[in-house]
Amino acid sequence: MHPFSERLRAKIVERRTPTLVGLDPRAESLPEGLLPWAEAASWAQRAEAFGKFCRGVIDVVAPLVPAIKPQAAFFEQLGPAGMAVLAEVIEYGQKNGLLVILDAKRNDIGSTAAAYAEGMLGRESAWRADAMTVSPYLGVDSLQPFVDVAVERKAGVFVLVKTSNPGGVMLQDLQCDGGMVHEHVARHVERLAAETKSECGYGAIGAVVGATYPDQLAELRERMARAWFLVPGFGSQGGTARDVAGAFDSRGLGAVVNNSRGIIFAHRREPYASRFGSARWQEAVEAATLDMIEQLRADTPAGRLDKS
Amino acid sequence: MHPFSERLRAKIVERRTPTLVGLDPRAESLPEGLLPWAEAASWAQRAEAFGKFCRGVIDVVAPLVPAIKPQAAFFEQLGPAGMAVLAEVIEYGQKNGLLVILDAKRNDIGSTAAAYAEGMLGRESAWRADAMTVSPYLGVDSLQPFVDVAVERKAGVFVLVKTSNPGGVMLQDLQCDGGMVHEHVARHVERLAAETKSECGYGAIGAVVGATYPDQLAELRERMARAWFLVPGFGSQGGTARDVAGAFDSRGLGAVVNNSRGIIFAHRREPYASRFGSARWQEAVEAATLDMIEQLRADTPAGRLDKS
């Protein structure tokens, strides 16, 4: 198996888009019929519906995009049954040729961090994702076990650097000696990325950098030249293709741009709602995915992927 | 049901100790016979052994201490089977009169954070812990959903402020405008604690503050006068009873001090190993717990709990 950074590059070039589809299933937003009487459904029924829905999304997007990003929280909310379905969804995605980035934002210290890394990325674990997200608050020694497992397993790790939510500013943009907090984290991520660099120029350790701060995004691209970016905040959170243009290198590589609700629940919003409605929700997913691919092609360096 | 802050106070006064027993099960450290051929055991066998071991610890410590702290990572590493056993362990602890603080260090934004909070603390969730730990990197709006669920559910939330590991300094002790990063977090935690304050003077939102930095611990006690402290780092990580003395108020309240490996794996270290050995591991757990209780009584204001 090739390192995650190489597999991500190859998949992006093959699909000619850096579109990442986020799987954030919510009982109340599922297409009609998938979970009748959502309010009265048991956890097991909800878990089953989440599995069915996510497999339905994967069926549509697998030929179109390089990767999916299941959000652990929504599965975990359903208890062990939800966590079992999460494993099935990850496996289904991988069998259909997608890379799977598990959005878990885990973090701890020493052997506890290693347990999280082994649990989510390990070869014998239940989930076996290709990459996962982690939080940096516990500092450098909390990140190392994730790095070690990622290198050994040829997996990827995306460290939260600059998140897309407005309240993140409180901590991440504090002005410190040597730059803002997120710039300190960025420096460490770049070091880890450089240490794990593969042929494509990027490393096993990447960064989560939100679409909602376009100027910082471009600045951070320069500061973390070896780190793949996972860019949330596109679509529902207000980020546009122009906003994320700074995340890419001149080849159109270096970033994946996530859209969750905007794609998976496209049947609930215009223009897709009136074109397809709930019954044809998979066509709505396809149309929304193709539109996002088109926007990224038109307004970002990802348009150059056609030529690679 | 009373708010978590009141239940914690009552339980500490009843047991006359702030000792918190951490449940960090590891296959390779279990007493002999509990998990034969640990290396070859399946995830389901490991999960079963973890459950048996944790129930055995609970049987011993339930009459002695106010609370336990299961570490989610070690259960999660075993996949859905491990997460199911985690739910059983939480329930078993609660049935035996213990408060359960789930060490999960979760964090996300908006409705995703709410999903984590509902998953771990919600009335209908699989885990239904009395309190949980969360990470603050995503900022103020990431903490609010945990606060909302905690208030509604009369549960508790402990926010990472100053952790016990050496590498935490890299981020948490960065000097910023208005103080170090962890002091900014402390200020916000104190605000949330004051907003949720109950009769005992403490709120639903507490702070994780490590035993390994005694001076900062005492300073942070002053800065967060309304926040319960969860103090890791005692025992195996080098913190002593004297080191944690600053975590308490003058009544001997305000903090719980965690010991994980030092108690649950006491059969593996002196003086308990030669006194009890692996076969009498529960007696080792009891002796180590009683010793810790005694040390906290002798060297911290927790000794005054006898008089409340």
Side-chain angles (χ1 to χ4, degrees), chain B residues 104-165:
Chain B
K105 300 191 174 65
R106 298 297 195 259
N107 186 227
D108 215 296
I109 59 176
S111 59
T112 313
Y116 275 131
E118 287 289 351
M120 310 250 119
L121 303 174
R123 271 204 186 77
E124 296 173 23
S125 82
W127 295 290
R128 265 171 292 194
D130 298 289
M132 70 182 291
T133 57
V134 304
S135 174
Y137 191 76
L138 284 123
V140 286
D141 52 356
S142 73
L143 298 177
Q144 198 56 46
F146 292 98
V147 176
D148 295 343
V149 171
V151 167
E152 186 263 325
R153 163 77 170 81
K154 299 188 190 290
V157 168
F158 291 92
V159 180
L160 299 184
V161 173
K162 172 73 187 162
T163 58
S164 55
N165 58 313

Side-chain angles (χ1 to χ4, degrees), chain A residues 14 64 91 116 119 124 131 143 183 188 206 235 247 261 267 270 287:
Chain A
E14 187 188 315
L64 305 177
E91 198 183 352
Y116 275 130
E124 296 173 23
L143 298 178
E183 292 170 332
H188 188 65
R261 278 170 287 172
H267 68 277
E270 294 307 335

